Amino acid sequence: MTTQEEQTRSGLRFPAGFAWGAATSAYQIEGAVAEDGRGTSIWDTFTKTPGKVLNGHHADVAIDHYHRYREDVAIMAELGLSAYRFSVSWPRIQPDGSGRINQKGLDFYRRLCDELREHAIDPWLTLYHWDLPQALEDEGGWPNRDTAYRFAEYAAAVHDALQDYVHTWSTVNEPWCAAFLGYASGEHAPGRREPENAIRGAHHLNLAHGLSVQAMNARRVGGCVNLYAVTPETDSERDLDAARRIDGLQNRFFLDAMLLGRYPEDVLADLPVEPDFIQPGDMKTINAPLDVLLVNYYSRFTVSGAPGGKQSAAAAPTDSGSPWVGSEHVSFVNGGRPVTAMGWEIDEGGLVEILTRVARDYPPIPMVVSENGAAFDDVLDDGRVHDRERQAYVEAHLGACKEAIDAGVPLEGYFAWSLMDNFEWAWGYGKRFGIVRVDFETQERVLKDSAHWYSEIIRQNRRHEPTDS
Ligand code: FCB
């Protein structure tokens, strides 16, 4: 028996039917920003604004997935993936943000889904991974309540066209990032630094989630959150309060709204704004029944209430403010763990913690880890990438998934972030998260060692599945 088989048999053996996936998002990979009638998104505008993205990088071409999707699906098939999570570019479907539907945009995703299905890979479609049509930003963006209603219309149009193709629908990827990096810290598009509007935006993103779930009435639909384990630096009252605040803004503001239909009282009390934007019926809408919760997990925060420290866990690449509206005084301290190339601390125990917590504190809901992975400074060595650190990261976090399942968590899948190196937002092409390397000049794809390893784990697990599954 090889070491890998032993590993699978002992530690990394997962239940039959477990979704073995990888994830990407539209703006990060597609390119073709002016093709087939696509409109402008806030990321097109942001990347062209000097000083917003490291080295002035943009994603006009990105990794050319729009033209190379067949090759990319073939790579997924070679890896043995059973599921692929991607996002739809809203401005491809509605170039003006509302009204007119661009058939050519829908056709692209239909072709992609067809290709996936031909390779027995389940399409997991995310409706919003941060590329808001610029036309809607011009009318106020997410702080404008109307945007949530426009989103529901967009969702219904995509659902109408693709309902027979998609395995699992999900609404908004990581509403925390879209609201607080987009409208408070300004690190992400549209780059506004308006803390009170960031809160309004967060509520409207939640509302957009609920309204779109209702509008689609999809066979299988989920919401997506990015959760962090949060630890106080000490047991002092000040640090415990800091941890409560950051956990509140990052995790509970979204989980409680989506799964319990209310905002946590303590978080509302911390905010510098009256919650008069919450209208009657909103919380019930946001609490629309879901089939699955998509959890993105990367790291743990260690926080202190002592002011004057770092305003986030890792340095931002560009000049930006604090995303922690109402809790700007909280400091992020070094928890003493090894870090990735993003400066994010590696802590697989945090994944067990958050998964078991959701299972314990919220109504029962199946979950998947919908993003997990790490950037490292890869070296191309004679056509290979020996990315042992990334492999170790994925292995440790798959171990955490297994531990959570053994503890009774209904975890039904794992998606590596990312399938391929791509445009990493404010970091441009400076950070590589892929298990597949992409040469950004030639667009050549090469499986990294982590991809070969992941593929072997998948094969070992799928060997035990009934063939008709
Ligand atoms: C997540 C995003 C994804 C990628 C990873 C590294 O927050 O959803 O697009 O940037 O982080």
Side-chain angles (χ1 to χ4, degrees):
M1 209 191 302
T2 68
T3 320
Q4 282 173 347
E5 279 175 323
E6 279 165 16
Q7 263 171 355
T8 316
R9 300 243 160 101
S10 55
L12 294 179
R13 173 90 186 266
F14 286 76
F18 192 77
W20 291 97
T24 63
S25 88
Y27 187 70
Q28 294 180 277
I29 64 168
E30 286 179 1
V33 292
E35 240 165 284
D36 290 339
R38 177 188 181 276
T40 304
S41 84
I42 54 173
W43 272 94
D44 297 306
T45 309
F46 189 72
T47 52
K48 303 297 164 58
T49 311
K52 297 298 187 191
V53 174
L54 203 62
N55 301 318
H57 288 165
H58 56 71
D60 285 6
V61 177
I63 57 168
D64 199 30
H65 171 76
Y66 192 75
H67 301 116
R68 293 168 194 261
Y69 70 93
R70 284 203 175 84
E71 181 190 343
D72 294 339
V73 173
I75 291 171
M76 298 175 213
E78 184 184 343
L79 289 174
L81 299 188
S82 61
Y84 171 52
R85 175 172 176 253
F86 62 96
S87 80
V88 170
S89 158
W90 186 350
R92 267 194 211 290
I93 309 303
Q94 287 185 303
D96 313 314
S98 58
R100 184 173 62 90
I101 301 293
N102 177 32
Q103 186 60 41
K104 283 188 173 166
L106 287 172
D107 289 346
F108 168 69
Y109 296 104
R110 190 175 294 143
R111 290 197 299 276
L112 172 64
C113 288
D114 267 339
E115 194 72 16
L116 288 165
R117 289 201 166 273
E118 265 168 41
H119 289 85
I121 300 168
D122 291 331
W124 286 53
L125 183 153
T126 297
L127 285 158
Y128 186 73
H129 202 124
W130 309 349
D131 42 1
L132 185 70
Q134 182 63 43
L136 293 182
E137 175 58 26
D138 294 343
E139 286 170 23
W142 285 110
N144 177 5
R145 186 177 169 95
D146 275 352
T147 304
Y149 293 92
R150 299 293 82 75
F151 181 75
E153 289 163 9
Y154 152 71
V158 179
H159 183 260
D160 270 358
L162 299 180
Q163 54 183 317
D164 295 338
Y165 299 77
V166 171
H167 178 275
T168 301
W169 294 81
S170 73
T171 57
V172 176
N173 176 70
E174 302 188 354
W176 183 89
C177 291
F180 294 109
L181 300 181
Y183 293 90
S185 77
E187 183 182 335
H188 281 183
R192 283 159 62 181
R193 288 197 206 171
E194 301 164 16
E196 294 186 8
N197 272 332
I199 296 292
R200 291 192 185 91
H203 177 63
H204 296 147
L205 280 150
N206 282 338
L207 184 62
H209 158 78
L211 289 169
S212 63
V213 170
Q214 290 177 343
M216 291 190 291
N217 194 19
R219 222 174 19 233
R220 208 175 120 81
V221 65
C224 174
V225 283
N226 55 323
L227 304 181
Y228 281 78
V230 184
T231 320
E233 185 182 22
T234 71
D235 282 346
S236 73
E237 219 170 286
R238 206 168 61 167
D239 291 355
L240 289 170
D241 184 64
R244 176 192 64 72
R245 284 167 174 269
I246 299 308
D247 172 55
L249 278 170
Q250 177 76 55
N251 301 323
R252 288 182 290 123
F253 188 83
F254 299 96
L255 284 173
D256 287 19
M258 213 181 257
L259 302 180
L260 300 175
R262 59 172 187 253
Y263 285 122
E265 286 298 328
D266 63 307
V267 178
L268 290 182
D270 292 339
L271 297 177
V273 54
E274 278 304 313
D276 52 7
F277 44 83
I278 307 172
Q279 296 192 5
D282 282 5
M283 300 316 296
K284 191 164 185 295
T285 301
I286 297 170
N287 188 212
L290 298 178
D291 302 296
V292 58
L293 182 70
L294 287 80
V295 175
N296 295 356
Y297 175 81
Y298 289 94
S299 189
R300 178 189 295 275
F301 294 147
T302 306
V303 296
S304 141
K310 291 198 301 176
Q311 286 201 319
S312 68
T318 50
D319 179 33
S320 48
S322 168
W324 303 106
V325 180
S327 296
E328 289 88 352
H329 69 279
V330 171
S331 301
F332 288 74
V333 302
N334 185 340
R337 300 178 185 82
V339 295
T340 69
M342 298 294 280
W344 299 351
E345 293 192 20
I346 302 171
D347 182 32
E348 63 275 14
L351 179 55
V352 183
E353 193 175 304
I354 60 163
L355 292 172
T356 48
R357 175 194 187 180
V358 173
R360 185 191 62 223
D361 293 354
Y362 294 90
I365 183 163
M367 286 181 258
V368 296
V369 172
S370 39
E371 280 183 30
N372 176 247
F376 287 106
D377 297 325
D378 297 329
V379 178
L380 188 64
D381 174 11
D382 208 11
R384 302 284 305 239
V385 180
H386 304 299
D387 58 339
R388 296 216 44 88
E389 290 168 296
R390 183 174 294 103
Q391 179 178 319
Y393 181 101
V394 175
E395 184 171 355
H397 287 79
L398 275 174
C401 290
K402 183 69 170 66
E403 201 179 318
I405 292 171
D406 291 345
V409 173
L411 185 71
E412 299 185 343
Y414 175 90
F415 293 74
W417 183 273
S418 179
L419 175 68
M420 300 173 284
D421 293 336
N422 58 45
F423 174 82
E424 178 49 33
W425 309 114
W427 294 90
Y429 300 99
K431 301 290 177 199
R432 293 176 176 275
F433 272 92
I435 56 173
V436 175
R437 179 184 172 86
V438 178
D439 181 317
F440 298 125
E441 296 298 319
T442 64
Q443 300 293 355
E444 191 193 354
R445 278 82 161 131
V446 172
L447 270 59
K448 301 180 191 177
D449 285 1
S450 57
H452 290 292
W453 174 86
Y454 186 45
S455 166
E456 184 56 33
I457 295 293
I458 296 173
R459 246 174 273 283
Q460 289 295 327
N461 273 284
R462 295 191 73 185
R463 185 173 292 173
H464 306 284
E465 292 186 354
T467 43
D468 61 349
S469 73

